[in-house]
Amino acid sequence: MFPSLAAVYRAQLSRARVARIPLLFVATFQSVGIMVLMRGVVDGGSEARAVVAGSSVLVVAFVALNLLAQYFGQLRAGGGLDHYATLPVPPASVVLGAAGAYASFTVPGTIVTAVAGSVMFGLPLTHLWVLVAVIPLSGAALSGLGAALGLLAPRQELATLLGQLGMSAALLLGVLPADRLPTPVGWARDLLPSTYGVEALARSFDAHPDWAVVVLDLAVCAVVGVLSLAVATWAYRRAAVR
């Protein structure tokens, strides 16, 4: 499986490098723009940490959730899945290779956004190394969700719509401080996979982070990532045999 996974990853990375880099600039510019707007109403404290962490993980949501849902929706509508089905490649390799390639493109934009936001709001840069865990684990959870949406949606247009709605949810529920949200909306926030990456990154801005809670948040991301990628693999098999 691993040789097939590496081959799919390299192929998707090469393809996405040409087609997706402009969109990565858009994702980064969007997140930095949100922080600039919020700088006018947020002075610091927990609200600043929420804004910077939410904007940083939003780059992951834009690429790994939104664009991957569109990609698999297009692949299914255009018959691309039939091509993959003829190759001696396990379904899990196709899903994991595509998800990994798209998630890889979020690395530079997320780092730029986190550093720019920390400087803008006067937050410490000391523990930003936690991005080494936040990006892949949040990327796995959101990529699996995006791939599942693209493969399960009955129409390409609906896959695009669901991906954009998911990214909008990551924007509204991730950037706004949790204690400012109404209780029912807070429950919806708890169901969003990106929430736990946002919380882990936001806690790392504390002078003395509670690393046990950070690890717990990252563990939730990891579990959701495994489950969502498993669902996406099942959805791929289901779509490929139709």
Side-chain angles (χ1 to χ4, degrees), residues 201-213:
L201 181 56
R203 295 182 200 282
S204 73
F205 289 123
D206 291 338
H208 303 286
D210 187 341
W211 292 114
V213 181

